[in-house]
Amino acid sequence: MFRSFRYPIVFSLILLCSLAAVVIPQTHSARISFSTPEQISEDFKNIPCKNEERLAAVRALFIKMGAAESDLLSGQQKNVRNLFLTRRGATEEKIIIGAHYDKAADGCGAIDNWSGIVTIAHLYRTLKDVQLRKTLVFAAFDKEEKGLVGAREMAEEISKEQLAQYCAMINIDSTGLGAPQVLHNVSSPKLEELAEAVAKRMELPFGKAGVDSALADSAVFLERKIPAVTIHGLAGDFTKILHTKDDKAVKINPESVYLTYRLALAVLVQVDQTDCQAWRETKKK
């Protein structure tokens, strides 16, 4: 039995209906493989507690989820080691699904942010054989704890001509303590509204709030006018866990990570099925 909260059975049925709307060619029978809290829990058993070991562990996790090693591309400019995995869609329009893999000096970084890496890896596992409209770019960012360095490198490499192709950035950062929430101060209003609406339809516990002085990788994409949202699962007295020796696997509630995964999955599918312009903010007259 997992701690704190339970999700309704209707939740799974609603999301199945959402995914049924995804266009799957008749010649390709895609198997949609939903992850379970138990499977997610498995990926917290051997968290690398040293920053120099984490990139290799991220690579191994995506391979476990079905990625080909040759598809995992490293970006190593400016002493930053990002990792990218692209899932081609029917168009060149793109959705970035990101999480940082580096950790603070203390603890094992289980909440912040191995939880985000596990979440995006399971999103890849679920969608890798589904024919989507948009191209998905899974990004594991380095040096978020040093000032969003890895995410900024990716964002700055997008040219002005390419910006229109980037429909949204969905960032997962620090889940595992409570119900999924949107980090208000680093999220686009329209994507925040989408997440809230999706959670309501799914009868899913949900919250939204800003955290004073908190930043996340979505912020640098907002600077480039790319719609972005950060979803987290912090709750209670989380400040006594993050960036301390107590940020370790025993603190993880697998159901919190699972619910974040399911919310992010439904949001991602909705963005995929919608015109990119729907998520861009229009200038007020």
Side-chain angles (χ1 to χ4, degrees):
M1 180 72 69
F2 294 107
R3 300 190 300 276
S4 75
F5 48 81
R6 303 299 302 168
Y7 55 90
I9 293 175
V10 69
F11 168 18
S12 298
L13 297 176
I14 292 171
L15 187 55
L16 279 169
C17 291
S18 297
L19 283 172
V22 174
V23 178
I24 302 175
Q26 294 181 356
T27 56
H28 180 65
S29 179
R31 182 175 63 183
I32 299 173
S33 181
F34 291 102
S35 297
T36 66
E38 291 78 11
Q39 289 171 322
I40 285 171
S41 182
E42 284 292 315
D43 295 318
F44 288 96
K45 287 185 175 179
N46 297 296
I47 299 174
C49 295
K50 296 180 179 179
N51 262 324
E52 57 267 28
E53 297 174 351
R54 287 170 84 92
L55 179 59
V58 175
R59 183 180 292 273
L61 181 59
F62 272 104
I63 291 172
K64 174 185 174 183
M65 297 296 156
E69 189 167 0
S70 59
D71 289 336
L72 290 161
L73 303 178
S74 298
Q76 299 188 19
Q77 298 180 15
K78 303 177 185 177
N79 199 32
V80 174
R81 300 187 301 166
N82 291 333
L83 189 69
F84 304 107
L85 175 60
T86 299
R87 172 66 178 85
R88 296 290 176 189
T91 72
E92 289 300 313
E93 292 182 326
K94 296 176 177 65
I95 303 171
I96 302 167
I97 304 98
H100 74 90
Y101 68 84
D102 63 309
K103 60 179 242 11
D106 294 329
C108 283
I111 301 291
D112 186 14
N113 186 35
W114 192 250
S115 65
I117 291 297
V118 169
T119 301
I120 70 169
H122 281 272
L123 289 172
Y124 171 78
R125 175 181 182 267
T126 300
L127 294 173
K128 65 184 176 65
D129 295 321
V130 178
Q131 182 59 55
L132 297 171
R133 295 179 182 178
K134 297 175 177 61
T135 292
L136 306 183
V137 181
F138 294 86
F141 295 119
D142 189 14
K143 295 187 177 179
E144 189 267 0
E145 302 291 357
K146 301 294 185 182
L148 317 182
V149 178
R152 189 173 300 281
E153 180 179 280
M154 179 186 185
E156 290 181 350
E157 287 182 350
I158 300 172
S159 69
K160 289 183 179 180
E161 293 73 24
Q162 294 171 325
L163 282 174
Q165 292 182 345
Y166 286 81
C167 303
M169 189 273 179
I170 300 172
N171 184 51
I172 311 296
D173 195 340
S174 300
T175 186
L177 293 178
Q181 301 183 59
V182 164
L183 190 58
H184 175 77
N185 49 302
V186 289
S187 297
S188 301
K190 289 185 178 181
L191 287 179
E192 182 177 322
E193 290 169 5
L194 172 64
E196 184 175 17
V198 167
K200 184 176 181 180
R201 288 200 306 269
M202 296 165 72
E203 298 182 19
L204 176 66
F206 176 80
K208 56 179 180 178
V211 177
D212 290 343
S213 73
L215 286 177
D217 286 327
S218 58
V220 299
F221 293 92
L222 290 177
E223 291 172 7
R224 298 300 315 275
K225 308 302 181 185
I226 296 172
V229 61
T230 286
I231 302 174
H232 67 89
L234 297 176
D237 203 354
F238 68 88
T239 58
K240 292 184 177 180
I241 298 175
L242 263 64
H243 294 193
T244 77
K245 61 181 178 59
D246 289 326
D247 190 353
K248 50 192 177 183
V250 70
K251 298 295 185 180
I252 288 284
N253 179 341
E255 188 175 320
S256 170
V257 183
Y258 172 75
L259 292 178
T260 301
Y261 148 78
R262 295 301 291 257
L263 175 63
L265 178 60
V267 169
L268 193 162
V269 169
Q270 183 69 53
V271 173
D272 177 73
Q273 297 293 298
T274 308
D275 187 278
C276 281
Q277 199 59 34
W279 313 114
R280 302 191 189 281
E281 302 303 317
T282 55
K283 294 182 179 179
K284 295 181 180 181
K285 294 182 180 180

